[in-house]
Amino acid sequence: MDRPYIICHMLTSLDGKVIGDYMKVERAAYFTDEYEKIHGRYGCKAWMCGRVTMEEHFTFGHKLDLAQDSIPTIPRMDYVAKKDAKTYVIAVDPSGKVGWTENSIAPWNEHRSEDHIIEVLTEQVSDAYLGHLKKIGISYIFGGKERLNFSLVVEKLKKLFSIDKLMLEGGGFLNGSFLNEGLIDELSLVLVPIADAASNSVTLFETSSYLNKTQPVNFFLKDIEKLDDGGLWMKYVTKRD
């Protein structure tokens, strides 16, 4: 296979919400911890999230002050700052907005390692942002001129960084984009026994308005494990061996 094996690893409420007030309920903390333990058990070399998640949990909304004057044009070519990192974190950031100040994410719990950052960009990104990434040693790859082609992105991740197994931990729209391109091989789903009926909460898979209507994707149950306090860990695959 010319791309990594891709596992979508997510935690949802009973009604399929990936974010929402149910996460603030005290008993949800146990399931968040189980989710992190399972992340570690998979042993993936890389994991991927979108811009919103990165800004919320890692850069905390930090905005870069990038002067636009006298910045030379930087060719839209992939840049590998570190090809031998033990683990990677991949930030899907089409326009180049995440305010990174370092080239790696430090471990934030016992189940995570230090991960070298790879930015996934479109060619619409500014020269100033590319210059900043190069200056602090962040790798970046281009996935398209104006919109991202994730089939191309994951092929580059394998070719340039030798990533054979990728964990997708995106928001619903990122997950939906991968589903739309037929790129999910396995679904690892931690089901929290709490319902959150908020109409504005994002679900496990969402479709952006600019995408063609995706065809239904069949998942087949691979394994199921009962967790404490009424939760479940379910593993599905998209194709039978």
Side-chain angles (χ1 to χ4, degrees):
M1 191 160 54
D2 58 359
R3 63 166 177 84
Y5 183 83
I6 300 172
I7 303 141
C8 181
H9 178 50
M10 297 295 295
L11 178 148
T12 75
S13 63
L14 282 175
D15 48 342
K17 305 299 174 58
V18 297
I19 58 173
D21 288 342
Y22 79 96
M23 295 296 296
K24 301 175 185 177
V25 177
E26 185 176 353
R27 70 190 289 224
Y30 162 75
F31 297 102
T32 301
D33 187 57
E34 288 299 303
Y35 173 87
E36 290 292 335
K37 289 178 182 178
I38 293 166
H39 172 102
R41 285 165 63 176
Y42 268 102
C44 293
K45 187 176 182 179
W47 59 280
M48 174 185 283
C49 281
R51 176 184 62 81
V52 173
T53 299
M54 296 302 181
E55 289 183 327
E56 180 179 355
H57 296 289
F58 301 107
T59 64
F60 308 105
H62 175 68
K63 302 297 183 184
L64 299 171
D65 183 16
L66 301 175
Q68 296 290 335
D69 295 337
S70 302
I71 296 174
T73 300
I74 298 176
R76 275 25 182 189
M77 298 174 60
D78 303 325
Y79 174 67
V80 179
K82 193 171 185 178
K83 65 178 181 179
D84 57 353
K86 184 177 180 181
T87 53
Y88 295 93
V89 55
I90 301 152
V92 178
D93 184 23
S95 301
K97 295 181 179 179
V98 182
W100 301 113
T101 57
E102 298 179 323
N103 66 4
S104 64
I105 288 179
W108 71 94
N109 63 49
E110 61 182 312
H111 309 295
R112 301 276 179 160
S113 57
E114 180 174 334
D115 306 309
H116 176 71
I117 298 165
I118 303 171
E119 276 265 319
V120 175
L121 306 163
T122 66
E123 295 182 20
Q124 302 305 303
V125 64
S126 70
D127 293 313
Y129 192 74
L130 294 181
H132 172 74
L133 295 182
K134 279 193 169 185
K135 182 178 180 181
I136 64 175
I138 288 179
S139 300
Y140 58 79
I141 60 175
F142 293 97
K145 290 185 178 295
E146 297 180 356
R147 293 177 181 169
L148 293 173
N149 176 339
F150 286 105
S151 297
L152 173 63
V153 167
V154 294
E155 287 176 8
K156 288 186 174 185
L157 291 175
K158 181 165 186 176
K159 181 179 179 180
L160 298 175
F161 301 95
S162 301
I163 295 171
D164 292 318
K165 189 161 63 169
L166 170 65
M167 182 162 279
L168 173 65
E169 299 180 284
F173 290 99
L174 179 57
N175 294 343
S177 294
F178 269 67
L179 189 73
N180 188 59
E181 293 191 36
L183 296 174
I184 295 177
D185 300 298
E186 184 172 333
L187 173 64
S188 167
L189 183 62
V190 175
L191 188 65
V192 180
I194 305 173
D196 185 347
S199 60
N200 61 342
S201 292
V202 176
T203 59
L204 179 59
F205 296 109
E206 298 277 355
T207 301
S208 299
S209 59
Y210 61 83
L211 292 177
N212 294 328
K213 185 180 184 300
T214 183
Q215 294 297 313
V217 176
N218 286 299
F219 285 84
F220 302 93
L221 186 64
K222 180 180 180 182
D223 195 15
I224 187 167
E225 182 177 317
K226 186 175 179 180
L227 304 175
D228 290 343
D229 200 17
L232 294 173
W233 174 31
M234 298 175 288
K235 290 189 286 185
Y236 291 88
V237 292
T238 52
K239 293 181 181 179
R240 290 290 191 187
D241 294 334

